[in-house]
Amino acid sequence: MSEDDKYPEESGRRRFVKGVVGGAALAGVGATGSVVVNSATTSPGKGGGATQAWAIENTGGPAPRGMPQIPLEIDSEGYIRGIWPSVETVTQGGRQIQVAEMDLGGSTYSSEWFQYCGVEGYQGIQPSYESDNYFRSGSSPAYTWQQNAKSQGDRFHVDDFSNYEEWGNGIGQAGLGKPATGTWRSQDASDVIPIQVVRSTQVEEAAQDDEWLQASTQEGFIAWLNKCTHFCCVPGYKQTESAAKFDASNEVYCQCHQSTYDPYSVVQTLFTARPRPD
Ligand code: FES
């Protein structure tokens, strides 16, 4: 599917644009469009090293940076899956290793984006781990809609989010976006990779003139690795009333030490990815 197909003109997405809230949040997303991408990611270890990634912005608390975005696509039947970079063998430090890396939306997208908090040792993060890459509902969904509609292991479908323009759960403002919690590349693996996916009009609007978002989101869906970059807890979008104390009712909130993230502000981060263990 070409990038143009992801947001076809006939989608009518412009009519989804909200007023003040959308405009404020869009300013955050849109500002990323001018960032120059440095594709020269260095990898001194087994796929580790200085890494530049797109992430949902860290807006407060002790977390050092945002959580890495997972580029996604929707298949011909309407199921949502993450994009995994193409795998190739390269020579690093005299050794041959596998890397998963590709050009996407004017950036270099690499599996190194997810190599922190021990995830670098997970089976699903190994470049050649075989997976269909679909996002699946986890064992204990955080949202009532998901508990009612999905069983563990079910794939997410566009229709699951059809009321995303109105959805709310009493936390923060309704209509900002409809979320789900799930897993990725964890079928038959011993470690589970936690993800969040949200469908929002704000993402649709922001993607209109942003090369990266055009390539990494579709029909308003955005996803990220749901591991707090502070001490690796699993945060949540609109999952707890206590987020209000930290002005995060409409953001992603980590209960461990009150870090907050804005899923509608995608920014670039530079960090040292941990090498994968053998
Ligand atoms: S704020 Fe410390 S683990 Fe999230």
Side-chain angles (χ1 to χ4, degrees):
M1 178 180 286
S2 76
E3 289 171 16
D4 287 345
D5 291 336
K6 286 187 163 190
Y7 285 96
E9 285 304 314
E10 62 269 27
S11 71
R13 60 184 180 271
R14 283 182 183 276
R15 69 187 167 83
F16 296 143
V17 176
K18 297 292 191 291
V20 175
V21 171
L26 287 176
V29 180
T32 63
S34 60
V35 175
V36 175
V37 176
N38 176 8
S39 61
T41 303
T42 56
S43 303
K46 302 180 199 67
T51 299
Q52 197 161 358
W54 287 105
I56 65 165
E57 184 180 11
N58 169 229
T59 51
R65 63 181 185 277
M67 291 187 286
Q69 194 186 339
I70 302 174
L72 61 79
E73 60 188 0
I74 298 170
D75 74 9
S76 58
E77 296 181 338
Y79 290 99
I80 306 152
R81 64 186 171 204
I83 295 172
W84 187 248
S86 31
V87 179
E88 58 184 33
T89 301
V90 300
T91 301
Q92 276 185 7
R95 293 170 303 172
Q96 287 207 318
I97 67 162
Q98 285 191 318
V99 298
E101 192 168 282
M102 67 190 290
D103 294 329
L104 185 70
S107 299
T108 298
Y109 167 45
S110 166
S111 57
E112 293 175 346
W113 291 18
F114 313 116
Q115 292 178 196
Y116 68 99
C117 276
V119 178
E120 66 275 7
Y122 288 12
Q123 284 175 275
I125 275 339
Q126 307 314 308
S128 59
Y129 178 80
E130 287 197 16
S131 171
D132 59 18
N133 291 317
Y134 286 103
F135 297 140
R136 287 181 159 83
S137 193
S139 57
S140 52
Y143 307 100
T144 303
W145 82 260
Q146 193 179 338
Q147 293 163 5
N148 294 335
K150 311 299 284 185
S151 298
Q152 183 177 2
D154 283 353
R155 295 177 296 171
F156 293 114
H157 191 275
V158 172
D159 290 348
D160 294 325
F161 299 81
S162 55
N163 62 339
Y164 70 113
E165 293 176 83
E166 299 88 31
W167 182 87
N169 64 351
I171 297 175
Q173 181 182 333
L176 277 183
K178 184 174 183 180
T181 56
T183 66
W184 184 48
R185 292 176 62 81
S186 302
Q187 292 283 94
D188 306 318
S190 51
D191 297 299
V192 173
I193 299 173
I195 63 104
Q196 276 231 252
V197 59
V198 173
R199 187 182 196 186
S200 172
T201 56
Q202 299 188 68
V203 176
E204 290 175 312
E205 173 66 14
Q208 289 183 73
D209 55 4
D210 184 291
E211 184 182 10
W212 168 250
L213 292 177
Q214 275 275 332
S216 63
T217 70
Q218 189 170 348
E219 295 188 30
F221 287 95
I222 189 168
W224 61 91
L225 175 64
N226 203 29
K227 277 267 191 189
C228 185
T229 60
H230 182 223
F231 283 160
C232 311
C233 287
V234 175
Y237 175 77
K238 291 183 183 285
Q239 288 183 18
T240 172
E241 299 276 1
S242 56
K245 283 187 236 158
F246 303 91
D247 205 22
S249 296
N250 295 316
E251 296 195 348
V252 179
Y253 171 68
C254 184
Q255 292 193 71
C256 291
H257 313 97
Q258 291 74 56
S259 286
T260 57
Y261 303 86
D262 184 352
Y264 307 125
S265 178
V266 174
V267 298
Q268 286 202 303
T269 61
L270 182 64
F271 73 107
T272 303
R274 298 179 65 171
R276 301 190 311 267
D278 267 324

